[in-house]
Amino acid sequence: RISDVSRIYKIYAKRLEKLGIKKIEDFLFHIPFRYENFSLISKTGNAQAGEVVTIKGKVIEIKNGYLRRFRTIQKAKIEDETGIIDIIWFNQPFIPKSIKTGDFVSISGKVDLDRNRPIFKSPEYEVIESLNDTNTIHTGRLVPVYPQTWGVSSKWLRRQVNKILSENKNELYEYLPYSIIENLGLESYIEAIEQIHFPKDEISAKNAKKRLSFDELFLLQLSSLIKKREWESLSSKKPFSVEKFKKEIEFFLKSLPFDLTGAQDRVVKEIFSDLSSKRSMNRLLQGEVGSGKTVVSAIAMYLSYLNGYKSILMTPTEILAQQHYKTILKLLGSFEIKVNLVTGSKKPKDLTSANVLVGTHALLFKNLGIKNLGLVVIDEQQKFGVKQRAEIRKKGTNPNLLTMTATPIPRTVALTLYGNLSLSYLDEMPKGRKRVKTWLVPPVKRNNAYKWIGKQISENKDQTFIICPFIEESESMKTVKAATKEYERLKNDIFSNLRLDLLHGKMKAKEKEDILDKFRKGSIDILVATPVVEVGIDIPNATIMLIEEAQRFGLAQLHQLRGRVGRGDKDSYCLLFAGTTNPTSLKRLKSMETIYQGAELAELDLKLRGPGEIFGTMQHGIPELKIASFSDFDLIEKTRKEAEKIFPEIAKYPKLLEKIEIINAKEV
Ligand code: ADP
Ligand code: MG
């Protein structure tokens, strides 16, 4: 723990934690995101305006000056054998306390002009031992620039890293097998750690990054292989019979109001093959929004029932649980299957007699009294943490696990993260679905857009979602208030002749249910909602989706929201309103107009916003990479290959194992 180490870190502990620094060694893995190139050393006599240079010299004068409004200016003069140069800083009155007349200093920055004389304005600086001193860290070299946070500057971090590096260098050790280092031409570990922070030159920085990126993904790959082995050794169960119930399954499929798509058919076969094996299923079903995952899971639950087992279907929101409850009841209820709903606000009567339990997290906290749990389905699994996913399985002994998501992760990434999972893809949409036409609407067209929506509603009975932005991470009162205000505005000023209603996460379960029922029945024209409808809601007659402050959402998330419409055979539309003029943001949103594949959008977001953004908020349980990137598919591939090669003899490399254990311990 960092707060145990020294007083100063104790004071900084909270702030450092924001940067992911909890232990002393974490400083060494706080990786600079770029370097300032201050390696050109010059003499005062040669300094030219516009150049970025470093000058070493003796301080011949330094003092504070005072400007208006309590602002201060610091002025200094530095001398070397070729002349004198002026320096000014603003509002840093402590500088004359740390630099004294007579000190030797190293100054880096861009040379400016002041009345035709060269001058440094707010340069980097540090006191040095002598003019020959080359041990500088803030000047005179490639200087690392770190992600900083309030009260923890890049410069302060640089000082800590330098200190910790020199004090703890002896504790760093090489742990990769020599063969890998040799074959792939990697830098040594110790060298890489040093050079990533204080590189000799650009090439060293690059090599260091290459080595550490390799390590990061390679260790993840190994840990995923270990998890796979663990799953395989632990998870045995009684196989389900499929053959025996062929007739029943066929009859069930005929009872559906539609034919399964080719992809659904294939995935059902994959699932059945898992269920009929001796090893518990652990399958991730990734499917485009609206591709029909629910019915696939229902078929699996039916097979579970036929084999005399119970099933659980867990969802991240109460609204979704209610919807699934109804869907499953409709699909399975007529087959004498008892379905029960378990949510935080609804007290179920008799759980023990149910064959299928549908519910939210509330399932985790209840004593379900299930003896023969055969199958656990987790819908929108990205919304659950690793722990919760493991927890729900403990309601039975090694039940089969089917997790489902509409935010597909590229296959290579999925393998890296979940080595113990089998993957299924629903890559085909039901027949007759039309593309949801998508527009990024410029602010000047807002009123036209409203008019157009009004017309669509009165002429075609189109139903509309209007999504208000989330203001805070989870659905807070602030978000609810903003949505309520927007709802009032739309109801009173814009669509006063239409039927509007409001849906947000802080409503009582019953209220939410009633509103969605009314919307489903068509007695609401426009449903103003917070992003609670983001996942899973299925209302086939809704055809228009309007999203406010669209730039606050990830592309995959927008795709999810867009997936709430276009579920029937009517033409559907998605209108994006952006609360920004930033061209990069707008370009990102614009891609929604042309890209209709969730996987492609997720990948694009990965590149544009980085994994922290997309996975951090959307995909629980995904480790944040410090240096490598989940969009570096080549490196993911390469580390996978190397990991698989070394894995059978991993026991021969105790130092490597130790590193993996550290990673695995972090995860829970
Ligand atoms: P998601 O994969 O996003 O969870 P759902 O399971 O909610 O999608 O299905 C979306 C809609 O498509 C539902 O209304 C469902 O009844 C319908 N559906 C599912 N499979 C088919 C199919 N093969 N043909 C036609 N409609 C289907
Ligand atoms: Mg769904």
Side-chain angles (χ1 to χ4, degrees), residues 483-642:
T484 311
K485 208 167 146 205
E486 177 67 359
Y487 162 68
E488 299 287 341
R489 183 181 82 87
L490 291 168
K491 192 173 72 166
N492 298 329
D493 306 346
I494 313 280
F495 299 112
S496 51
N497 54 339
L498 296 173
R499 297 163 302 173
L500 275 73
D501 221 320
L502 175 67
L503 179 72
H504 62 71
K506 290 270 189 282
M507 287 173 155
K508 294 219 175 67
K510 183 84 180 70
E511 276 178 278
K512 288 187 219 167
E513 199 176 344
D514 289 347
I515 287 171
L516 276 172
D517 275 344
K518 269 163 71 187
F519 195 46
R520 209 169 263 129
K521 279 195 209 109
S523 48
I524 294 174
D525 300 310
I526 298 179
L527 187 61
V528 181
T530 54
V532 288
V533 299
E534 177 207 330
V535 291
I537 297 298
D538 184 41
I539 302 199
N541 196 50
T543 48
I544 301 174
M545 167 64 64
L546 185 161
I547 304 169
E548 290 285 354
E549 301 281 332
Q551 79 282 358
R552 295 199 188 165
F553 296 88
L555 293 179
Q557 220 178 346
L558 288 173
H559 187 62
Q560 271 268 10
L561 282 167
R562 170 167 70 182
R564 295 315 109 213
V565 299
R567 300 189 148 232
D569 40 22
K570 280 171 98 181
D571 282 332
S572 300
Y573 310 90
C574 176
L575 279 60
L576 303 175
F577 285 10
T580 175
T581 50
N582 179 317
T584 324
S585 297
L586 294 177
K587 197 169 153 218
R588 189 175 74 88
L589 292 175
K590 199 98 179 138
S591 60
M592 292 290 295
E593 294 182 353
T594 49
I595 303 178
Y596 285 87
Q597 222 105 58
E600 205 178 321
L601 287 168
E603 218 167 283
L604 188 65
D605 238 4
L606 204 61
K607 288 201 181 114
L608 294 177
R609 304 212 302 179
E613 282 280 348
I614 157 160
F615 288 148
T617 52
M618 299 188 45
Q619 195 87 29
H620 286 282
I622 289 196
E624 269 214 50
L625 295 183
K626 294 213 177 297
I627 180 157
S629 155
F630 281 124
S631 56
D632 189 349
F633 299 135
D634 290 342
L635 188 60
I636 292 177
E637 206 80 63
K638 189 160 150 194
T639 49
R640 184 78 185 176
K641 250 182 37 208
E642 293 298 328

Side-chain angles (χ1 to χ4, degrees), residues 257-261 264 287-295 323-324 379-380 406 426 430-431 433 536-538 540 564 567:
F258 45 71
D259 291 334
L260 291 189
T261 62
Q264 282 171 322
E288 195 48 64
V289 186
S291 59
K293 293 182 288 292
T294 318
V295 67
Q323 177 185 295
H324 277 346
D379 194 19
E380 307 293 350
L426 274 184
K431 278 200 203 72
R433 290 282 171 79
I537 297 298
D538 184 41
R564 295 315 109 213
R567 300 189 148 232

Side-chain angles (χ1 to χ4, degrees), residues 128 225 227 443 503 608:
I128 50 179
L225 289 171
K227 271 183 252 163
L503 179 72
L608 294 177

